[in-house]
Amino acid sequence: MNLFQIAGNQDLTSYLSSMENCPNCSTMLENHFVYCPGCGQTTDLPRFKIRHILDEFFQAIFSVDRGILFLIRNLATQPGVTARAYVLEKKRKKYVNPFSFLLLVLGLNLSVNVLIKPYTARFSTKKDTIQHVTPTVPKDVLPYIERRRQATFFIEENINIIGLAAIPLFAFIFWLCFRRSDINYAEHLVAQVFFSSFFSLFTILLTLLLGLALKHYLPFLNRTLLLFQLLYLSIAYFQFLHYQKPVDYVKTSAATLLALISWVALSGSVVFLYIRFGR
Ligand SMILES: [Zn+2]
């Protein structure tokens, strides 16, 4: 009903005084509103109580139909279907926001890297002299070896940022390869945030497993991860692009391979330039 009808039928001031403002955005709320039409906040919000906080916390993690574990399980079993539901079929409430999930995983990743040091574990400490590590190499090569060592430390210390830089690159490669599918770059980017987050989580688990229980295999970490990424993304994009014929795995595997090669080439050249010209 609009205000003119009300004015005609009943006392306007008494009607208006029965209305409240939304505490979040100040939109006028009618009594029967369950959600604010301005910002979507619930109109009946209780005060914070420890019980609610715990409820929210456990819901966020364990809820069987929308929590973080639900998202992880879905990204493990049907990554492309999940990304497609969120990105293209607009089931936005069903899944945890992929960017929040990414931040959470990056935080975990950082802690695990500090704990395990998968890349620099073979160097004793950062402060060790290079002469001690490599006693027989000619003097003019030493600066390069030292910078390579520095680069390895740099990678380990900034692994989160380096991993983040891969997301827009991967999204670009897949957008380029599947331009005709009518999925735009931003949509590819959000899908890639899902896939990269899950890949980071897998990296964390594998690093923990190798670092704590199977130290002997730690040098194979990178190759295992690359292989996993190749398989995972090939399957994920097969589902995301809604392919049906098994032969289309060739397309998604080729695109994944191209993305991985571009990434290795790009990050490799940055490290090379650092070793060659860095100070
Ligand atoms: Zn509001």
Side-chain angles (χ1 to χ4, degrees), residues 92-135:
R92 303 284 156 83
K93 279 240 156 192
K94 194 172 172 184
Y95 299 98
V96 174
N97 181 308
F99 294 92
S100 315
F101 182 55
L102 177 68
L103 282 180
L104 186 84
V105 173
L106 288 181
L108 261 179
N109 198 353
L110 193 67
S111 329
V112 170
N113 268 315
V114 169
L115 187 73
I116 306 284
K117 301 191 181 2
Y119 300 97
T120 50
R122 58 202 150 111
F123 304 116
S124 27
T125 71
K126 200 176 184 176
K127 285 163 199 82
D128 256 11
T129 57
I130 40 171
Q131 280 83 358
H132 174 76
V133 181
T134 51

Side-chain angles (χ1 to χ4, degrees), residues 1-12 15-16 19 30 32-33:
M1 55 183 150
N2 65 44
L3 290 180
F4 293 107
Q5 280 175 311
I6 304 159
N9 295 336
Q10 51 176 283
D11 183 13
L12 179 60
Y15 178 77
L16 284 177
M19 291 169 75
E30 290 180 36
H32 62 278
F33 284 176

Side-chain angles (χ1 to χ4, degrees), residues 20-23 29-36 40-47 52:
E20 275 181 72
N21 290 330
C22 166
L29 302 174
E30 290 180 36
N31 282 332
H32 62 278
F33 284 176
V34 181
Y35 295 101
C36 165
Q41 177 166 283
T42 324
T43 54
D44 182 31
L45 270 176
R47 292 178 60 181
H52 298 144

Side-chain angles (χ1 to χ4, degrees), residues 127-272:
K127 285 163 199 82
D128 256 11
T129 57
I130 40 171
Q131 280 83 358
H132 174 76
V133 181
T134 51
T136 56
V137 292
K139 268 211 158 61
D140 55 333
V141 186
L142 277 178
Y144 296 115
I145 296 179
E146 173 58 18
R147 279 206 284 273
R148 190 179 152 193
R149 216 166 71 91
Q150 296 282 347
T152 313
F153 276 106
F154 176 82
I155 291 172
E156 185 161 278
E157 278 164 7
N158 299 285
I159 194 82
N160 274 341
I161 297 169
I162 296 169
L164 276 181
I167 294 177
L169 176 76
F170 275 40
F172 177 73
I173 302 275
F174 283 101
W175 170 78
L176 201 66
C177 291
F178 301 104
R179 275 189 317 282
R180 279 183 298 171
S181 66
D182 196 35
I183 298 171
N184 69 31
Y185 176 72
E187 289 163 339
H188 270 291
L189 192 70
V190 179
Q192 189 57 48
V193 168
F194 273 121
F195 304 150
S196 290
S197 305
F198 183 80
F199 175 68
S200 276
L201 193 66
F202 180 81
T203 305
I204 292 169
L205 295 179
L206 193 67
T207 308
L208 273 177
L209 179 73
L210 297 189
L212 298 177
L214 304 161
K215 271 206 168 66
H216 188 62
Y217 294 100
L218 206 53
F220 300 104
L221 178 65
N222 262 343
R223 269 163 279 177
T224 314
L225 287 174
L226 266 181
L227 190 67
F228 173 79
Q229 209 172 15
L230 178 62
L231 285 174
Y232 183 71
L233 287 180
S234 304
I235 296 169
Y237 277 97
F238 183 87
Q239 299 169 345
F240 183 62
L241 295 158
H242 219 242
Y243 281 141
Q244 306 296 332
K245 289 172 288 178
V247 67
D248 287 326
Y249 273 115
V250 177
K251 291 186 203 165
T252 57
S253 310
T256 306
L257 209 55
L258 182 66
L260 289 176
I261 290 170
S262 318
W263 173 238
V264 169
L266 194 74
S267 52
S269 2
V270 171
V271 172
F272 171 79

Side-chain angles (χ1 to χ4, degrees), residues 13-29:
T13 37
S14 82
Y15 178 77
L16 284 177
S17 67
S18 75
M19 291 169 75
E20 275 181 72
N21 290 330
C22 166
N24 190 51
C25 72
S26 303
T27 300
M28 287 285 248
L29 302 174

